[in-house]
Amino acid sequence: MFTGTPHPRHDWTLAETEALFDLPFMELVFQAASVHRAWFDPSEVQLSQLLSVKTGGCAENCGYCSQSAHFKTGLKAEKLMAADDVVAKARAARDGGAQRFCMGAAWRELKDRDLPKLASMIGEVKALGLETCATLGMLTADQAKALKDAGLDYYNHNLDTGPDYYKDVVTTRTYQERLDTLAHVRDAGMSTCCGGIVGMGEQRRDRAGLLHQLATLPAHPDSLPINGLVPVSGTPLGDKVLSEGKAIDAIEFIRTIAVARIVCPKSMVRLSAGREGMSRELQALCFMAGANSIFVGGKLLTTPLPGLDEDSKLFQDLDLRPMHAAGPMDQGLLDLELLMGIA
């Protein structure tokens, strides 16, 4: 049982992480909720929005991804969006209540030739008063510094799964390459957004392995997204789940959220992909177990999300409110709170 304020640890062992998963469910959720309350207001949830600024045609072979050029999923590859179009989407996201705007490009790695356009795009989004985040594949140290100088606050680069299961997910990028990109991001002074995907056929030990990796990084992720696999026909892992009907058990998903909260107590633990298929009750238990961030906007790259009306009703019924960004509350957030009846 936790007492006082639990200090973040970076010396978790894999055995300790597995032992947390094995706790009686009620005890695990109670401990996670206690840790959550030590660092956060449990009634506040951060709202972020993600836009695919360059869709499809990725050279990676991530077995879950509809955007991989290796698989036939019916998704058409597109060019990088114009900066004006991205800024318009960001403005709409801000006016709809989002506090952070994330830009994702389906690339294996960022090319130097695309840096000027992206830097301009990031600067304009930042000028709207939004926190900025991007996921653009692998980065060099110089590229990370250039993105930081352009005004990028967060960089997303997921580990996807634990190191032992990684070879069953992707073979075109090594685990160490992912860790190297995270190091470049930290060294440049940006915040990290790093998590993974569950429900890809991995075992509990692999989920513990993922969280153990995150908890033993030199700095815990500032944002820790937990994605539930959305199986896409035409992808190896999606086809496997669709044929076998083996999605991750809801209770096991909540356990994963709770362990993430305990081992990374100061991270924003985000319900990411898969939320559209979650029941209201499952989401409520995830919030109770320490999740305090969600994506909004109806779409997450190429997968669906709940609509604003559904999220507003859920927030009302659970007595939740949007987490205030640093500084004065903007009009969009106020409008959302008025819509939810909590301002």
Side-chain angles (χ1 to χ4, degrees):
M1 177 176 175
F2 291 97
T3 58
T5 301
H7 294 288
R9 290 175 49 191
H10 297 268
D11 61 349
W12 288 94
T13 66
L14 179 57
E16 287 178 311
T17 311
E18 289 184 284
L20 290 173
F21 271 93
D22 291 337
L23 284 172
F25 180 78
M26 298 301 182
E27 177 63 22
L28 174 60
V29 172
F30 174 76
Q31 289 196 18
S34 299
V35 172
H36 189 191
R37 282 159 171 74
W39 292 100
F40 297 98
D41 183 335
S43 296
E44 290 189 344
V45 176
Q46 181 196 62
L47 307 180
S48 301
Q49 192 157 329
L50 175 61
L51 175 68
S52 179
V53 299
K54 193 280 174 189
T55 302
C58 182
E60 300 280 16
N61 67 350
C62 304
Y64 53 82
C65 186
S66 63
Q67 301 197 66
S68 172
H70 292 258
F71 315 130
K72 295 181 179 180
T73 62
L75 189 70
K76 182 181 178 182
E78 300 175 358
K79 295 181 179 180
L80 183 64
M81 288 178 63
D84 288 348
D85 294 335
V86 173
V87 173
K89 293 284 189 181
R91 185 177 293 106
R94 180 200 64 186
D95 294 345
Q99 298 143 291
R100 183 182 301 173
F101 190 73
C102 307
M103 295 156 275
W107 287 324
R108 182 175 190 273
E109 69 274 311
L110 175 61
K111 302 294 187 185
D112 287 340
R113 65 173 181 265
D114 294 308
L115 259 174
K117 186 174 182 179
L118 284 164
S120 176
M121 187 185 297
I122 290 164
E124 291 186 63
V125 172
K126 180 78 171 177
L128 296 175
L130 287 160
E131 289 183 338
T132 55
C133 179
T135 178
L136 312 167
M138 292 184 290
L139 298 178
T140 66
D142 288 342
Q143 289 170 340
K145 184 179 184 303
L147 292 173
K148 168 67 175 177
D149 292 344
L152 191 64
D153 298 307
Y154 288 79
Y155 194 79
N156 167 260
H157 200 66
N158 290 335
L159 294 181
D160 283 355
T161 188
D164 291 342
Y165 193 66
Y166 185 78
K167 64 183 182 300
D168 295 294
V169 177
V170 55
T171 61
T172 52
R173 184 190 311 185
T174 68
Y175 214 75
Q176 186 59 50
E177 284 176 316
R178 292 181 184 268
L179 294 171
D180 289 345
T181 288
L182 290 171
H184 294 327
V185 171
R186 289 193 302 270
D187 291 346
M190 282 186 287
S191 298
T192 56
C193 175
C194 184
I197 307 170
V198 297
M200 298 190 293
E202 78 284 348
Q203 301 300 310
R204 175 180 285 183
R205 181 177 178 84
D206 301 310
R207 293 186 280 276
L210 166 66
L211 296 180
H212 172 249
Q213 287 288 313
L214 297 173
T216 55
L217 289 171
H220 290 168
D222 298 277
S223 291
L224 199 168
I226 301 294
N227 296 275
L229 178 69
V230 178
V232 176
S233 179
T235 62
L237 292 174
D239 286 343
K240 182 178 180 181
V241 170
L242 290 170
S243 64
E244 297 178 357
K246 292 184 179 179
I248 187 170
D249 175 76
I251 300 300
E252 185 69 12
F253 187 89
I254 299 164
R255 284 184 180 274
T256 306
I257 294 291
V259 175
R261 171 52 65 208
I262 291 171
V263 299
C264 294
K266 294 176 66 176
S267 299
M268 303 296 299
V269 177
R270 179 180 299 129
L271 293 183
S272 297
R275 195 168 64 85
E276 190 269 342
M278 295 179 188
S279 70
R280 287 158 47 86
E281 294 80 7
L282 172 54
Q283 293 182 70
L285 281 168
C286 287
F287 292 132
M288 184 180 295
N292 62 342
S293 179
I294 61 172
F295 276 118
V296 295
K299 194 173 185 180
L300 180 64
L301 292 178
T302 61
T303 59
L305 287 171
L308 178 60
D309 290 345
E310 293 175 68
D311 285 336
S312 298
K313 184 66 164 62
L314 180 65
F315 271 47
Q316 279 187 319
D317 291 345
L318 298 181
D319 300 307
L320 298 175
R321 60 181 179 272
M323 184 178 292
H324 290 176
M329 182 171 60
D330 63 43
Q331 186 60 44
L333 184 57
L334 178 59
D335 290 344
L336 183 61
E337 292 195 335
L338 289 170
L339 175 63
M340 292 181 173
I342 53 180

